[in-house]
Amino acid sequence: QVQLQESGGGSVQAGGSLRLSCVASLPAHSGYCMAWFRQAPGKEREGLTSIDSDGSVTYKDSVKGRFTISQDSAKSTLYLQMNSLKPEDTAMYYCAADDFISCGALPPRARDFRYWGQGTQVTVSS
């Protein structure tokens, strides 16, 4: 059974930083694609960044250079380091996973992922 649990959200002023964590319980498998998404009130869920078992990453243009995805396989944890935060980054942030070996070359799409965490709220004030 796949379980994902995010943590690390909170309130921060514009220009600040946060690091989100996602502890993943995944069955033994040849590989997974893991990703971070966010959803603001009244908006669609937005794919931000993904990483696969080989360490290949993708980023949405709006977060490229500010957000960094990483994983610690020994701890079964996915991270999202967010720097230079802006008020428009305010949203519920979710981690997601699925058992396709490669995430591909484009930012992740919500419809491609079966497994989701409950989310962690990030609020950026101006």
Side-chain angles (χ1 to χ4, degrees):
Q1 182 178 359
V2 177
Q3 292 184 328
L4 303 172
Q5 180 63 58
E6 305 95 335
S7 63
S11 297
V12 64
Q13 290 191 327
S17 298
L18 284 173
R19 188 176 81 156
L20 306 183
S21 299
C22 172
V23 177
S25 174
L26 301 172
H29 196 273
S30 58
Y32 279 90
C33 172
M34 299 193 71
W36 286 100
F37 291 79
R38 69 185 178 192
Q39 189 167 19
K43 294 189 177 181
E44 292 187 355
R45 193 162 295 192
E46 176 185 27
L48 303 177
T49 176
S50 66
I51 187 167
D52 63 25
S53 300
D54 291 334
S56 297
V57 299
T58 70
Y59 289 98
K60 185 179 176 69
D61 284 347
S62 61
V63 303
K64 197 175 295 185
R66 299 190 301 124
F67 291 9
T68 303
I69 191 171
S70 62
Q71 59 187 356
D72 183 334
S73 299
K75 296 181 180 179
S76 299
T77 303
L78 181 72
Y79 300 102
L80 182 65
Q81 178 67 43
M82 305 187 294
N83 299 327
S84 303
L85 283 163
K86 306 175 182 180
E88 52 263 43
D89 294 319
T90 295
M92 185 72 77
Y93 283 70
Y94 300 90
C95 68
D98 213 311
D99 56 354
F100 32 92
I101 295 174
S102 171
C103 295
L106 297 176
R109 300 179 305 184
R111 63 178 182 265
D112 292 335
F113 290 80
R114 290 177 290 168
Y115 309 116
W116 293 85
Q118 295 297 309
T120 186
Q121 177 68 37
V122 171
T123 302
V124 185
S125 58
S126 57

